[in-house]
Amino acid sequence: RLRARRILQKIFDAGLQDPELLAALADLGQASDPATSGQLARRALERDAELPDMERVNSLGILAHSLIVTEKFAEAIPVLQRLVSLHHNPIACLQLSHCRMSTGDIPGAIAAAEQGAKFGADRAEIHNMLARLYQQSGQAPRARHHRQIAEALARSRQSGGSR
């Protein structure tokens, strides 16, 4: 990955700033430098119409991650909404839920987590989030229901069941 990143960086520095190259550089650098990767992803998305679908989805995910790690939750929300609309990913829904919760939008956080549960009903972390959100909003029976699902999923996972 490091070698690929260096080669692509040389091409970029030489003046080729095509959106697919920007997306590739963002992807290759996201673990070591999320802030720069987020900027590269944002630049790639500025020329969104030129990006293949998978690079668009990856760039949205990289940009969202960059915004979340820098605690720019309000900025991450529209990015994650777009990502979820293109790629029905339960973890993106969970991230959207966290961002909405962080900005005080508990009903929006619940809606995002519920959507995540539809895409990934077998994900304990989504049910834990729903339990927490329902508890915060005074809906104890719903909180208990999702806590029970999360616990059952965790037990299943520990005993060698799928996810």
Side-chain angles (χ1 to χ4, degrees):
R1 289 182 69 87
L2 184 58
R3 183 169 183 249
R5 187 169 154 202
R6 285 183 186 145
I7 291 168
L8 291 177
Q9 188 66 49
K10 284 182 184 178
I11 294 168
F12 176 80
D13 292 343
L16 179 63
Q17 299 197 5
D18 149 282
E20 285 187 64
L21 175 64
L22 292 166
L25 281 169
D27 185 30
L28 289 168
Q30 68 179 322
S32 61
D33 189 356
T36 299
S37 288
Q39 292 168 356
L40 290 166
R42 186 184 303 274
R43 288 181 56 198
L45 289 164
E46 288 171 0
R47 294 171 50 196
D48 171 289
E50 299 172 48
L51 280 173
D53 292 341
M54 194 47 128
E55 279 76 10
R56 182 177 301 111
V57 166
N58 288 341
S59 293
L60 287 165
I62 292 164
L63 177 55
H65 173 74
S66 173
L67 293 168
I68 291 167
V69 299
T70 56
E71 298 184 5
K72 295 177 181 174
F73 303 115
E75 279 184 62
I77 290 171
V79 174
L80 287 163
Q81 288 172 321
R82 184 160 179 232
L83 177 58
V84 168
S85 75
L86 295 172
H87 185 65
H88 300 162
N89 182 301
I91 299 306
C93 292
L94 187 60
Q95 290 174 320
L96 178 57
S97 181
H98 277 288
C99 289
R100 286 181 170 165
M101 183 180 72
S102 296
T103 61
D105 179 9
I106 301 302
I110 290 172
E114 286 286 1
Q115 187 175 20
K118 289 177 188 169
F119 300 149
D122 62 341
R123 306 295 299 234
E125 63 267 41
I126 294 173
H127 292 284
N128 278 324
M129 179 64 144
L130 281 165
R132 180 177 165 193
L133 290 166
Y134 280 129
Q135 194 67 46
Q136 280 183 338
S137 66
Q139 299 179 54
R142 282 186 164 177
R144 190 170 30 267
H145 170 74
H146 285 284
R147 197 171 306 105
Q148 290 170 343
I149 293 171
E151 289 168 358
L153 288 168
R155 280 192 304 275
S156 172
R157 182 179 237 170
Q158 288 174 347
S159 66
S162 66
R163 279 208 132 143

